[in-house]
Amino acid sequence: MTEKEINIRFREYSTIEELPEEDRELAHAAVEAMKGSYAPYSKFNVGAALRLSNGLIVKGANQENNAYPSGLCAERTAMFWAGANYPDEAMLSIAIAGGQGGQLEESPATPCGACRQVMAQYQMKSGRPMSVIMIGSRHIWKFDRVDDILPLIFDSI
Ligand code: THU
């Protein structure tokens, strides 16, 4: 038996203003995207902003439904829209902002497992790393690639 360890490196910032310029723009867009959230059931409002390789920023927000599983997270509304409308552009970076009643917690809301798997797929499709920026009111975390938030990604098919 060999014991192994997986280490994940990421950067922590304390304000959006501290981020490099392109990330700052994307982070502001994610906060702005929270306005499009439709979350009458959970009241947890999430916005996502995605930067494409053509420079375009695509926004998404969570959309809930009376038949619960019919709703969708902010990240996937953004990624699926981009995938459908710009199939040849790589998704280079995604920023996520969310919180109960539209209020960010100090530490970021983190993407669910299903959204991570979808990020992984688009990263694989383009062959270029997708960075992930999670925004809290006091802590902002930046991961350089999806592998860092989904170790041992399923990519066997
Ligand atoms: N949600 C997102 O939109 N993104 C996440 O990363 C986590 C959760 C949504 C789904 C649901 O509408 C609400 O937040 C509560 O789970």
Side-chain angles (χ1 to χ4, degrees):
M1 191 275 272
T2 323
E3 197 168 287
K4 306 219 174 194
E5 200 175 301
I6 296 174
N7 288 305
I8 296 168
R9 296 174 71 88
F10 63 101
R11 282 181 284 281
E12 183 175 85
Y13 300 85
S14 42
T15 64
I16 288 180
E17 303 320 312
E18 218 182 284
L19 289 163
E21 192 181 338
E22 286 211 330
D23 294 340
R24 199 184 322 143
E25 187 189 14
L26 202 64
H28 282 304
V31 172
E32 174 76 19
M34 288 170 72
K35 291 185 188 151
S37 163
Y38 175 57
Y41 304 103
S42 71
K43 309 217 175 350
F44 196 88
N45 303 109
V46 187
L50 190 60
R51 183 181 295 283
L52 306 185
S53 47
N54 62 3
L56 200 75
I57 290 179
V58 166
K59 291 192 280 186
N62 58 328
Q63 305 295 314
E64 295 185 353
N65 191 277
N66 200 357
Y68 282 14
S70 304
L72 198 63
C73 291
E75 298 89 320
R76 275 178 287 164
T77 63
M79 288 187 283
F80 289 157
W81 192 89
N85 290 284
Y86 292 93
D88 299 326
E89 300 298 332
M91 302 182 193
L92 297 182
S93 190
I94 186 165
I96 304 139
Q100 199 70 41
Q103 289 299 113
L104 298 182
E105 296 281 337
E106 290 192 359
S107 289
T110 56
C112 77
C115 286
R116 293 176 199 213
Q117 187 65 44
V118 172
M119 289 173 197
Q121 182 88 24
Y122 284 120
Q123 181 179 262
M124 244 181 298
K125 182 183 177 217
S126 75
R128 296 177 66 179
M130 187 192 304
S131 65
V132 185
I133 301 163
M134 304 175 192
I135 302 158
S137 63
R138 289 194 56 183
H139 306 293
I140 295 163
W141 297 333
K142 180 174 179 185
F143 300 82
D144 285 338
R145 51 187 58 74
V146 179
D147 315 55
D148 295 334
I149 59 166
L150 190 60
L152 312 176
I153 288 178
F154 173 72
D155 64 353
S156 308
I157 290 181

